[in-house]
Amino acid sequence: MSQALRSPSTHRFPNIDPATGQVLGTYVEATPSEVDVAVEAAQKAYLSWRKVPAPKRGEILLKAMELLKDRKEALARTETREMGKVLKEARGDVQEAIDTAFYYAGEGRRLFGQTTPSELSEKFCLSIRSPIGVCALITPWNFPIAIPSWKIFPALLCGNTVILKPSSDAPESAIQFVRILQEAGVPEGAVNLVLGRGSTVGAALTQHPQVRLVSFTGSSQVGASIGAGAAQHFKKCSLEMGGKNAQIVMEDADLDLALEGALWGAFGTTGQRCTATSRVIVHREVYQHFTERLVERAQKIRIGNGLQESTEMGPLVNEAQLHQVQAYVEIGKNQDGARLLCGGKRYTEGACADGFFYAPTLFGEARPQMRIAQEEIFGPVVCLIPVRSFEEALETLNHTEYGLSGSIYTRDVRRVLRAIQEIETGITYVNAPTIGAEVHLPFGGVKHTGNGHREAGTAALDIFSEWKAVYIDYSGRLQKAQIDS
Ligand code: NAD
């Protein structure tokens, strides 16, 4: 089932613990010919898997859910070790995969189509979902089990077979997840795993002629090139990409609640969530007070190894990410001219000296057009942008090329309803932070964040299946639609 687990390739890459800088292990990188083998295995398995009744496919997912539950703690620890998020959040990541398995297992007995009257007599019309074929699934490191689960479970349930190419920053989580699927009874070849760099292994996979669908989650830059390649070969392609999410705090908001939301949204997963709050847009009337309290609380966040239960914020995922955050902080200070309120430096206290830690960083008096307020930083760096009205707040929130998540804190019901309509994002929160999606609602974004698809819930079924319209004529004569008799 998992081609990478048996790979004869000799090129290996290291898996580094971002909290200590230590090498946890080395992993074999797949060669392009091994990608071919994986695709062939998936193509062969597709011919029989597509014929397994959907309720039976759902039962295998239910078994996978049980195994995920049994191994939740071990999986969470693996995640924390290889990508750094704190244990509580890593457990949440595994829980998301458990919930996703449960949801799509039930979908095996629904997978609803439609029946509808025909315009002709003695004719029966319906629509059914059909599988697509071999799917390439390309995933990032920040939700090492949840994001693969968002793709694998609906893809399998719809009757497709898959090849997963996870990020090289979280290979072990993917290996353990794929083993669970194997134990749950997913047949040989229906789920395959290839490890290695995106530019080689990922590119060979997405460009393979037998791959009919590419589902990608990662940066907008990589997504754009994958989308262009898929378009040339008419592959179905779903892209979930970057964000520059904002939380609005109006002058009438519950400021305590807004403060908790901003802290969690900005510094949860060390700011490395696609839905992380990286801009806080605050009404001028409460700006000074809110900012002072946010700075005070941000400075108290307990930074450390995510394996320790008391840690509130772990390290950045790798050295490259650390350099990216450092570079953006320099841009904020020097090029943009924003006011650094706290943080702005690597965190090296005690046991953190060898890891990729960065202090929670807040920039004040930021303006919407600054680079730090426009570009995805993917770290614990937040811009505070003062505004003078509700209209200006909405305009500022929408002033970005991204459109994943947005949030507003206010007690005014008119503002709530206008915000729901006017915020240009795929996900909008009211009196809640920009993070916290649930698995049965559509997940994804507008503008440069996505290409029109949504993951999770029934929306993901539209990615992983094709609609087929069926007309059954039992009249015994030739009947012509739209032609006057
Ligand atoms: P990335 O784009 O660098 O890599 C994502 C995946 O794509 C990795 O597996 C990588 O190996 C692979 N890849 C890279 N180049 C490729 C190529 N040419 N062909 C095929 N595959 C290739 O992203 P990352 O650093 O792993 O993750 C962070 C990014 O992911 C952020 O931009 C974040 O916003 C985004 N993200 C988005 C969502 C969402 O649902 N919208 C969720 C999580 C993360």
Side-chain angles (χ1 to χ4, degrees), residues 105-128:
E107 202 52 49
R109 288 194 179 267
R110 287 185 294 265
L111 217 56
F112 294 138
Q114 297 161 322
T115 59
T116 180
S118 168
E119 66 184 52
L120 300 166
S121 61
E122 297 183 291
K123 200 167 179 183
F124 186 58
C125 303
L126 63 149
S127 64
I128 56 171

Side-chain angles (χ1 to χ4, degrees), residues 138-142 165 198 202 216-219 241-242 274 376 378 443:
I138 311 284
T139 55
W141 45 265
N142 62 343
K165 206 298 284 172
F216 167 82
T217 300
S219 60
M241 300 169 288
C274 50
E376 188 180 49
F378 229 54
F443 184 96

Side-chain angles (χ1 to χ4, degrees), residues 138-143 147 150 165-168 196-199 202-203 206 216-220 222-223 225-226 240-243 273-274 321 376 378 404 443 449 455:
I138 311 284
T139 55
W141 45 265
N142 62 343
F143 287 85
I147 292 180
W150 289 4
K165 206 298 284 172
S167 165
S168 300
R197 277 163 294 167
S199 55
T206 55
F216 167 82
T217 300
S219 60
S220 297
V222 172
S225 79
I226 288 179
E240 294 292 344
M241 300 169 288
R273 285 182 183 229
C274 50
Q321 200 61 33
E376 188 180 49
F378 229 54
L404 184 53
F443 184 96
T449 294
E455 295 198 299

